Amino acid sequence: MYMRLLASNDGPVGPNNPFRLHSSATVDKPGQINDQTEETFMIRTLPLAAALLACAAAPAAYAQAIPLAQAIPADGTVLDVVADGTTTRVPDLALIRAGVVTDAPSAAEALRLNASRMGGVLAALRKAGVAERDLQTTAVSLAPQYRYQENKPPVITGYQASNQVTVRFRDVAKSGPILDTLVAQGANNISGPELTLSDADGALDEARRDAISRARARATLYAQAAGLKVERILVISEAGTTAPPAPMPMLMRAKEFAPQADTAIVPGEQKITASVSVRFLLK
């Protein structure tokens, strides 16, 4: 007995025109005439086509989901090196928060006094050459002040208004004398400074170049000690960067300033660090 499967497609493929599979069976027995029967099977093509497409697309999707590993030559030696690069810069920006705190019996009076004194502070900053883009109001508050007594409810004794502005000084050396002027104009709440770099990205790039140079020098050292040579770099990844730590806030009130003393802001130096991980091929 044998079975022959024939596939035929008459006309366009679609729900109303499926493929037809024809099976023909012939049975040979002694003394009997061959009897051939034909049976037609109808199958829907859309589910079958979808299944075939899914099977064909699966390897490609799997290949895209899993990145190819870095090929390592059989005759090479792999060396992984982690190196830190550093650079030092003198901070050229100083962020200082200056404000006015006022107390009064009523909320309206506290706000009025605060607005008047804060206007003098802002005028002094602009007169000192601070640009508008370097001034930003960071906090405005109004809160009742209470007197607390044992076994008695708190009693409101007045109101305190506060207005604070963040000032960006692009000349660190001039920030100290300007602060003295602000205090003379009514500023009585000052915190900072926060010393930063105007070109922080450039400093990081310099540290990154130093890190790669150190990694290559260390790989050369290991290769020479092992009687090999650095063939090439296989992988570079950045392990992280370290920004300089923020200085501790320095809180000052107007009465703590000596009128004859000039406030000095000393920038010092900041250290910027970049760490890289490099894989070398040695031969």
Side-chain angles (χ1 to χ4, degrees):
M1 176 180 177
Y2 68 91
M3 178 177 287
R4 182 174 69 251
L5 296 179
L6 301 175
S8 65
N9 183 11
D10 298 329
V13 177
N16 297 324
N17 187 23
F19 282 106
R20 293 191 178 126
L21 292 181
H22 305 279
S23 70
S24 298
T26 302
V27 180
D28 294 327
K29 290 185 179 180
Q32 292 184 357
I33 301 176
N34 292 341
D35 184 15
Q36 184 176 11
T37 62
E38 182 176 298
E39 186 177 358
T40 301
F41 300 93
M42 308 295 289
I43 63 171
R44 294 291 182 182
T45 60
L46 290 180
L48 177 61
L52 293 175
L53 289 176
C55 292
Y62 183 77
Q64 292 178 0
I66 301 179
L68 294 177
Q70 176 69 38
I72 300 177
D75 59 343
T77 299
V78 172
L79 172 65
D80 291 323
V81 176
V82 177
D84 295 331
T86 61
T87 185
T88 57
R89 294 283 181 90
V90 176
D92 55 357
L93 289 179
L95 297 178
I96 296 178
R97 285 163 292 279
V100 175
V101 178
T102 55
D103 296 295
S106 66
E109 182 67 11
L111 280 178
R112 187 189 67 79
L113 290 175
N114 191 275
S116 176
R117 294 183 185 179
M118 196 63 189
V121 170
L122 292 175
L125 287 170
R126 296 184 178 101
K127 186 177 179 180
V130 179
E132 290 295 329
R133 62 173 180 163
D134 295 329
L135 295 175
Q136 184 180 46
T137 300
T138 52
V140 177
S141 65
L142 176 66
Q145 302 300 296
Y146 295 93
R147 182 178 66 247
Y148 297 93
Q149 294 180 339
E150 188 175 357
N151 298 326
K152 292 183 179 181
V155 177
I156 296 178
T157 59
Y159 292 85
Q160 185 177 85
S162 176
N163 192 331
Q164 194 168 39
V165 62
T166 298
V167 187
R168 182 187 293 110
F169 293 98
R170 298 183 183 274
D171 189 345
V172 177
K174 294 182 179 180
S175 60
I178 294 178
L179 288 179
D180 295 335
T181 303
L182 296 183
V183 172
Q185 294 297 322
N188 59 2
N189 187 17
I190 298 176
S191 63
E194 180 182 344
L195 301 174
T196 61
L197 302 173
S198 59
D199 186 19
D201 290 340
L204 279 175
D205 288 344
E206 187 174 324
R208 292 179 178 114
R209 286 190 290 267
D210 183 57
I212 293 295
S213 178
R214 290 175 182 268
R216 188 181 294 274
R218 195 176 303 170
T220 301
L221 175 65
Y222 283 123
Q224 290 175 350
L228 301 172
K229 291 184 178 181
V230 177
E231 179 72 12
R232 61 190 175 92
I233 293 176
L234 297 177
V235 179
I236 298 177
S237 61
E238 187 172 275
T241 59
T242 303
M248 295 297 294
M250 178 180 61
L251 301 178
M252 301 173 286
R253 297 299 293 260
K255 62 182 180 180
E256 298 175 1
F257 285 92
Q260 69 276 10
D262 291 334
T263 302
I265 305 297
V266 182
E269 280 189 345
Q270 287 185 348
K271 184 178 180 181
I272 297 92
T273 303
S275 181
V276 296
S277 177
V278 186
R279 173 168 290 182
F280 294 90
L281 176 65
L282 308 182
K283 285 189 177 182

